Amino acid sequence: MTGPGVPTRGWIPYAGLLVVFWGVWGAISALPTKLYAYPDPMVYVVWALTMLVPAWFSLRGKKFDRGRVAAGYGLLIGLTGAGGQLLLFKALTIGPAYVIFPIVALSPAVTVLLAFAALRERLGGWSWAGVLLALVAVVLFSVSTGDGGDSGWLYLVLAVLVCVAWGVQAFFMRKAALAGVDDASTFGWMTISGLLLIPVAVLMMGGLPLGFPWQAPALTAGTQLLNSVGALFLVMAMSRGKASIVAPVTNALAPVLTIVLSLVLFGAAPTGFQIAGIVLALAGSTLMVYRAERTTEPVPGSVAGAAP
């Protein structure tokens, strides 16, 4: 027997697919740039276009909310998410995914602190422990670059900026859910926001690039479709399960799979500081999200804590 407020296990297949899709995407997302020197802004353009596929599925048979509240929150959520994607693709071209994604997974720290400052939400000991672990993890990553030159610091700075952008995004997702905006409309506005930033990406390249083999955009479309469809699985999992369970899965297990695949497929060898940072980042992310979702359970079907 199921019904409103009665937990079911229907979310498990979708959460599992989400972890697989986002974990694999994280590990191979930089391949088009590494194999074909495909510009990272062009990767963004292709990603924004692939968002149309899950957007169509999520809005099929549903009414798209065009009201001021939905549009305002939707654009804020979409622009912070899409802006983070634009920075993430640049970071992945110059830094290792097994370091970048654990840093990005710390975005709940930003959400928790914003909720504490702006919404006066009370934070328990687990939340503060998670924030502390997050800060220690960032310090460990910052002292472990060992790459030399500016690029070693640049990808860390970009990863932190993505973390901040997606933390702010999750904060506005929570406010949108409390305001009654449904997840399908939020996802639709996220897709529109991603498309709106395409001209910015094109300007960054000085125009649309030519002369690349067809394999470059094809591989990009394949990898980024994993990203976009994974976001749809998140919506489906959140609408069927408790956010206190689904959110830690998305913030911790997907980066774990990315790390494992990156190490296996590309033979990377993280330093001792990086391993410690990865462990602390994932632990901190899980603690913060678990505590935050127990304190403020979002409206059923919301996509709090996600970025497509």
Side-chain angles (χ1 to χ4, degrees):
M1 177 176 173
T2 60
V6 179
T8 71
R9 296 185 179 181
W11 64 271
I12 295 177
Y14 300 107
L17 288 169
L18 164 63
V19 170
V20 172
F21 272 61
W22 273 1
V24 174
W25 160 69
I28 66 174
S29 58
L31 285 180
T33 299
K34 295 184 182 301
L35 295 179
Y36 303 105
Y38 207 48
D40 50 270
M42 197 61 202
V43 175
Y44 173 88
V45 172
V46 175
W47 165 77
L49 294 174
T50 63
M51 281 289 289
L52 291 169
V53 177
W56 182 82
F57 279 100
S58 66
L59 288 167
R60 186 176 57 176
K62 298 181 181 178
K63 182 180 179 181
F64 180 50
D65 190 346
R66 298 180 178 85
R68 290 173 57 184
V69 173
Y73 279 123
L75 289 174
L76 281 171
I77 293 166
L79 291 174
T80 49
Q85 288 281 2
L86 194 57
L87 296 175
L88 175 64
F89 296 142
K90 178 62 178 179
L92 289 171
T93 64
I94 57 178
Y98 62 80
V99 170
I100 292 171
F101 279 96
I103 294 177
V104 173
L106 295 173
S107 61
V110 179
T111 306
V112 167
L113 292 176
L114 281 174
F116 174 72
L119 300 180
R120 297 294 189 265
E121 290 187 4
R122 296 181 60 186
L123 301 183
W126 290 117
S127 294
W128 288 117
V131 172
L132 179 61
L133 290 178
L135 294 175
V136 175
V138 171
V139 171
L140 289 174
F141 285 131
S142 68
V143 300
S144 67
T145 55
D147 296 326
D150 295 333
S151 62
W153 285 101
L154 180 58
Y155 79 79
L156 287 176
V157 172
L158 292 174
V160 170
L161 289 176
V162 176
C163 172
V164 172
W166 287 358
V168 172
Q169 180 196 40
F171 172 75
F172 284 115
M173 279 184 176
R174 180 171 300 172
K175 295 194 68 174
L178 294 175
V181 182
D182 64 279
D183 56 5
S185 295
T186 297
F187 197 89
W189 283 110
M190 290 165 64
T191 302
I192 292 172
S193 302
L195 296 173
L196 288 176
L197 288 184
I198 285 181
V200 176
V202 173
L203 285 174
M204 291 172 62
M205 297 181 289
L208 290 174
L210 302 174
F212 288 94
W214 66 266
Q215 291 92 339
L219 180 59
T220 302
T223 56
Q224 295 311 315
L225 193 58
L226 293 173
N227 181 7
S228 300
V229 175
L232 177 59
F233 286 138
L234 174 63
V235 173
M236 299 173 75
M238 292 290 263
S239 66
R240 290 165 171 78
K242 294 181 64 175
S244 59
I245 299 174
V246 178
V249 167
T250 63
N251 282 273
L253 294 187
V256 167
L257 182 56
T258 292
I259 293 166
V260 172
L261 289 177
S262 296
L263 299 180
V264 171
L265 295 176
F266 306 111
T271 66
F273 281 121
Q274 288 174 337
I275 293 174
I278 289 168
V279 172
L280 291 180
L282 297 178
S285 171
T286 301
L287 286 176
M288 286 180 291
V289 174
Y290 178 72
R291 175 60 187 176
E293 297 299 344
R294 284 189 60 190
T295 303
T296 307
E297 187 77 11
V299 174
S302 70
V303 290

